[in-house]
Amino acid sequence: GYKKLVRSWFCDKTTFPTTTISTKKKKKTMTTTAPILHFEQLDVLHPTEKVFKLWKRAHLITFCFVVAELFKADGDNTLLLFRRLRDQMSKRGAMILVIESAGTFSFVKPKKVGGQKQWIYCILDRLLLERNSEGVSTWECVAKSDSEWFRLEKGLDYPLKLNNMRYFYRLYRRKQ
């Protein structure tokens, strides 16, 4: 399911935009066959205007094993972060990928959702798939699982102790 979708998104050469590079002498348009990646290290719970501009242009924003930590650090600002992403990622087809441990760490209690403990994926589904004033949701969940197992190969030799783990994932896509 999701692996094929994400792989096709990264491997389909027609998916990626052309890039215009300006030099002092002339402008050059370049067509890429691989995604243009941009990494930014920042406090995502207190984004700047520069970050908002990046979100508007983004094709894919990933959250890999950090959402539970964000909720534990500041649940209300984490909810605000995902609302901002929902509202400001305006490019049709833009995606948000969340992969997180499906253990007790992902059972959180933000104040703004009634103060009850809930699974992170339930909170994100409700928030990102929320309908606007016209009764339309601008996002859809195109791939999901509430529980998957990553199991280590038998006989794997590694200097540190490694464990099997359970995780969930959601891949959301902007519809309009």
Side-chain angles (χ1 to χ4, degrees):
Y2 83 95
K3 290 177 188 174
K4 183 179 177 186
L5 178 67
V6 172
R7 192 176 306 117
S8 70
W9 194 81
F10 280 111
C11 297
D12 178 1
K13 294 178 182 170
T14 63
T15 303
F16 301 103
T18 59
T19 303
T20 304
I21 299 173
S22 298
T23 62
K24 289 182 181 178
K25 295 183 180 177
K26 61 181 177 177
K27 278 189 175 184
K28 178 181 176 186
T29 300
M30 176 178 75
T31 303
T32 61
T33 56
I36 299 167
L37 303 175
H38 181 89
F39 297 93
E40 194 76 31
Q41 184 175 358
L42 54 93
D43 179 356
V44 73
L45 294 180
H46 301 96
T48 62
E49 283 303 313
K50 177 185 173 189
V51 175
F52 291 137
K53 288 179 184 175
L54 288 172
W55 289 349
K56 284 184 183 278
R57 297 188 337 226
H59 290 276
L60 173 67
I61 294 179
T62 61
F63 291 89
C64 299
F65 304 101
V66 297
V67 177
E69 295 298 328
L70 291 172
F71 270 107
K72 285 181 181 29
D74 188 338
D76 292 343
N77 269 335
T78 302
L79 290 172
L80 183 58
L81 163 69
F82 281 98
R83 278 191 190 98
R84 286 175 170 164
L85 284 170
R86 177 194 67 201
D87 297 340
Q88 293 183 12
M89 285 183 74
S90 55
K91 188 173 288 202
R92 184 184 174 135
M95 295 184 182
I96 298 172
L97 174 64
V98 177
I99 303 172
E100 186 67 62
S101 167
T104 56
F105 297 124
S106 296
F107 204 55
V108 297
K109 184 178 170 178
K111 294 175 196 165
K112 289 192 177 178
V113 291
Q116 299 175 339
K117 280 196 165 191
Q118 297 180 38
W119 290 104
I120 289 173
Y121 57 79
C122 293
I123 295 168
L124 294 178
D125 284 350
R126 197 166 46 251
L127 182 66
L128 291 171
L129 305 176
E130 185 176 68
R131 297 177 187 277
N132 61 21
S133 58
E134 290 102 35
V136 177
S137 175
T138 55
W139 287 84
E140 62 186 336
C141 185
V142 294
K144 69 179 185 174
S145 175
D146 296 344
S147 178
E148 294 283 329
W149 276 96
F150 174 79
R151 299 202 186 270
L152 300 167
E153 293 179 25
K154 297 246 187 260
L156 179 66
D157 185 33
Y158 195 75
L160 300 174
K161 181 176 176 2
L162 299 175
N163 295 308
N164 296 325
M165 71 165 287
R166 195 166 61 98
Y167 64 95
F168 75 84
Y169 66 87
R170 291 291 192 275
L171 181 61
Y172 302 98
R173 181 174 52 204
R174 177 93 180 179
K175 293 192 295 190
Q176 41 184 325

